[in-house]
Structures are given as structure tokens and as C-alpha cells.
Amino acid sequence: MQYHLNGFKPGNYQVSDEARKPYPNPPIVDLPNQVDVLIVGTGPAGLTMARQLSEFNDIKTCIVDMAPGPLLFGRADGISCRTIEIMEAFNSSDMVVKETYQLKQNTFWEPDAENPNNIKRTEKIADARAGLSEFSHGIVNQARLHELLIDGMRNSVTNLEPHYSRELVDLIIDDNLAQDVSAYPITATFKRVDEAGNGQIETVKARYAVGCDGGRSRVRKTLDITMQGDSANKAWGVMDILLNTDFPDIRVKSFIQSKDHGAVMTIPREGGYLCRFYVELDHIDKGKRACDVKLTEKDLVATAQKIFHPYKLDVKEVAWWSIYEVGQRIAERFDNRPLGSSEEIIPRVFVAGDACHTHSPKGGWGLNTSLPDTFNLGWKLASVLQGKCDPKLLHTYETERRKVAQQLIDADRELSKLVATRPAAGESTDQARVDTAKIEEFMKRQSGFVSGTSIEYYPSYLCTGQENQALATGFKIGQRFHSVQAQRTADGRIQHLGHLVKADGRWRLFVFGGEQSPTDTSSDVCKLIDYLAKDNKSPVLKYTPDGADIDSVIDTYAIFQQEDLSMHDLPQYLWPAKGKYGLNDYEKVFQQSAENNPYRLRGINTEKGCMVVVRPDQHVATILPLTAHHELTQFFDHFMLEAK
């Protein structure tokens, strides 16, 4: 798709440039008096949380922001493979894939040895993330991703809409009520900041709250959570521009280092014409911030033109620009519990996204770490609010996501030094100058983390069974379920198994049969299915409410090696009767084929088979032998509450 030909215009890229108009500021609607979950901030973390919770009609959610309306442009642009996998869980990946610039190559430029005042390409390579996912790393305006999430909220069963033009004044937790899961211990006070609101004060009571309100988070400050890490001492400029140039790699991501004028990183943007430039500036004096750097977009363009010599940059339009400081900081804790609190203490307020980790934007990690923060927290909050899980489940948010945030901080610190040529405070020129080969080596080494595909949670009761990893080496316990294709038995359709794991709060149980035929009642897989469907100790029966569909809590899929199967020869649990008419679901059984062999591609033991339990956030929770009936029940018993 091509757009922005006659100037940058925000909005829905399915609408032509000529017809596209900026979003009008939405009408002001009174805040509700009482909600289950209050979300402060409409960035990627806040909208992902709201998008998840909007699917549950028994959970009342409110999302609030100080801005007058949705984001129009700027901020993040990189959309990692993992983020697109999450958007698939919201049924929005097709639009993201269609609209984004797909990053396939990287180039590296350094001063020409024969004429150091000129730059010269040293290497052009394939992007290191290729093949890590069925999706490619993409580039698109963050506002467009927001729009897709908001559209999903609006079209959900709850018709959830954000509330704008509200500033959080205070947030108080009543400690006397905080341990009562049915109580509303949080009181949030907001002030209207639109002209018509005239400073009106509104109050919202909530059971839980999530601060997704950025690096200067008001929620974090009310919880007295400190940020730990390095202060900023290096400035970079960023701008989205429409330009003509004779630089040959303008539509390829490029790292460019000049002899005397600093460095630029270029990232082609969606639409075929727009491009983002990150321009290295001087270091910031101690005690100063990026806002104190008195430069304009014209200064950024002039600096970039010097770095690109001998190539010309004819900038036609600067769609957006900003100056930011490089610093890496992480919150000392991610919820309201004091450090060292007992496991009996239930967290009621959380921080996510930039509210708990800040860094430079060059690695594309801000949005791509913020969004999975609340994708992790969202299903846990929903499970607790619906009475499916013990509130102790909420402790795992900080344990799992703080590890990822620390990895982000460490990687960003390294990358920030690698792409800079001008010394930061306290560094010599020799210390600052780095060979671009080291950047290439860094990107290869960190490809799994940058893409989000290798992010792995610590072993815990939610990520256990490592002793069985050899049964399916390609499904790493703790990492996201690496999708693979299989052929659906009922109709022959080729289906990505990972795309079956939607953001609906359900667990998925993938049963990979062994060498025995699933039609043999004495086979391990038949005995397992019989246990799941009929035994009172089965976690499926134990945790599914009376009258609900059999797959409403734990959704089972079966994949077999045998290729000539008939659905009606298989146990009915695999084609269950559902809904008010008791219609049979024929989309739960798959088989391998010569072209699509998940056993080979994911290292599954063909003799024994196995069970792969996948969490609602798509991470692999455990792997078990087909005979481990008791162990499967034990896994769920650790945190789930029996259905009433």
C-alpha cells in the first residue's frame, strides 16, 4: 500500500489520502462512579489492557487519558514479530501486515577510507529476525496501531470507549479494604482539562487500577515508586520526513556514521514515501533535560545533511519531530505492595509500559515491551475478577515482566553506545567510536529479544515441567507458543496453530498424539481424552461452570501423525456439541501432511507424543507426557478455583 504522497495525513490507511481526515476529538462523557478496572493512559499498554478486558461483559472497565483525543502521529514506529502475534490474538494482524513497511534488510555506512568526509556502504545484509515468526518485523505509525485497538474495543461486547481530557489528581488505596477481593478500595480523582469542563472534579471507585501513563506517571508517583538507573546525558533528535534523495538505501533500515558530524539511523516508514531519522546530537549537561536543548527541526535536517555527505537530502515535509535524552531506568516495583511484602498481600494497583521502564526509542522496544506488559497482566486480572483464579496469580505480573524490563534496559544501554559516535559525558572520542560490525553482531545476538520471540519467563507454577522439554524441543517452556502449520482434518484447511490462541482468557491444551492411532481405544491419547472428558478429577470438568461449553475455560486441540482420519471415528470430546443448539465443532482436530509437519518442525517426540499447555497470553506453561493425567490436574489446581 502507498500513502502520504501529497503530505503526511494520519488516520485509517484504508481511506485514500485525499479523503482521510484527522480524528475529531470525541465527545466528553461522564466518568462512571464505580468500575472493576481503572486504566490510566491510552498508550499501547493502556489500550492493550482495555482491548483484552473489553471482551468480558461481566467486567466493567474504564480507560482515561489527559489528551483531548486519540494519538495522531509520532512516537514509536517499530512493530515486532511478537507484537503482531499479539495483534493476531485480537484478530487484527491482517491489517497490520497489510499496512506496515516490512523490514527485510539492514545496511551499514561508515566514513570512506579514501575520503573520510564522505560516507560509504560497508555492508548490506538480511534482517537478523527473519524466520523467527510467521510475521515480519514491521514499521507503522503508532497511532494506527492505537486505532486498531480502539476499533476492537468499540466493536466488542462491551462497546468500550476511552475517556479523554482528564488529568489524574490523586489515587488513594484504602488499606482496610485492600485484602477484600470483592471491595472497591481505590479512589481516583480526576480533573477535566478541556475548556468546557472548566476544571470539574470527578471521582471513580475501582477494584483494581493500572497506571499506563508514561515516563512521568502520576499513578507511579502516588504509589511512591522510585525509578532506578542511569540519568540521561545524551541527546538525539527524531523526525518523520518526506524527502527526495540520491542516497541509494533510503528504503532500507540503515546505520550511518560520519567522521565529524555524528550518526544517523534511518528507518523507512509505511506508505512508500515517509522515512524516520534518528539524528545524534551533543551530550546534555548534568541536570538538563531534552526539553532544554534549544534546537528545531531545521537543525535536525541540517545535521542529517552533513552526515549524509556526499548524498543530498531534499526534505519536503517534516511530519513530526522531537528531541529526547538517552537514559535507562526501571521502577523498583511494579505494583502497590511495599518491597518485601508477604505473598498474602493482594496487589491492587499496577504500573506498566513507560510508567515502569524508560529507555531510548532506537531499538523499537518501547511499544513492543509496553504492549506485552498488559497482555500478561490482562488475562490474570480477568481470571481473578471472574473468580476463576486465586488472587495470588497477580503476584506473577511483576515477577515475569520485571525480568523482561531489566533485559530491555541492559540491551538499550548497549545499543545506545554502539550507534553513537560522539562521546557522552566522561568518555573519550576513542571510547565512543565503534565499528558498525559491532552493531551488526549485536543485532544478530539480540534478534530473539528484539523480535520478542525469545522472551522467556522464569520457572514457576505458571511455567513448569522443564524435565519434559525433550518431548517438544521447539516449544520452549516459558516462551511464547511458536506457531506452526497443520492440516485441519475435517476440511483440509492449512491452519496456524498459534492463531487459535485468542485473547479471550481461555487456556489452550494442544494434544500431540504418539505413534498409536487415535482410533485405538487402548492408545495413550485415547485414554487422555477419556480422562479429560469423563473423569471427575479432570481439570476441564473441574473448572468449567455447569451449563458452559466444554471448551469455555480449557480449550483442547488434537494434532495427529496419521493422515487418513475421519472425525466421527474420533472421541466426541474432539468434536463437541456447543451453544444453545448443541452444534458440533469440527475445527479442533489437525493432522500432519508432507508439506506441513509440526512434529518435525517443532521437535515433537513422534513415538510418545505429548501435551503442550498454553497460557491465555500465548506463553507455553508446561509440557507433559500423554500419560500424565494427575500432573495435568495438579498444574491447574495450583492457582485455579473450582467452578461453582
Side-chain angles (χ1 to χ4, degrees), residues 297-368:
E297 72 275 26
K298 294 180 180 179
D299 297 306
L300 299 185
V301 171
T303 300
Q305 288 171 331
K306 293 176 183 177
I307 295 170
F308 271 78
H309 191 272
Y311 300 102
K312 307 299 183 184
L313 301 180
D314 180 13
V315 177
K316 301 297 186 181
E317 179 181 323
V318 179
W320 173 81
W321 71 280
S322 183
I323 294 175
Y324 66 90
E325 64 263 26
V326 175
Q328 295 82 23
R329 307 178 75 192
I330 184 171
E332 63 172 353
R333 48 196 171 90
F334 282 19
D335 60 48
N336 65 288
R337 295 174 301 157
L339 292 175
S341 293
S342 162
E343 286 295 302
E344 302 302 316
I345 302 298
I346 302 171
R348 305 304 290 240
V349 182
F350 307 84
V351 287
D354 286 352
C356 55
H357 42 73
T358 60
H359 43 85
S360 78
K362 288 186 296 301
W365 291 315
L367 179 151
N368 295 299

Side-chain angles (χ1 to χ4, degrees), residues 484-488 493-497 559 590-591 596 598:
V484 65
Q485 290 182 314
Q487 184 179 56
R488 197 158 63 195
R493 172 178 172 166
I494 304 303
Q495 168 76 54
H496 259 290
L497 298 181
I559 304 92
F590 299 84
Q591 60 195 43
N596 297 280

Side-chain angles (χ1 to χ4, degrees), residues 23 26 48 64 160 227 245 289 459 489 491 493 497 507 572 579:
Y23 316 117
T48 301
V64 187
L160 183 60
M227 296 291 282
T245 180
R289 298 187 64 99
T489 297
D491 58 8
R493 172 178 172 166
L497 298 181
W507 289 77
Q572 191 169 0

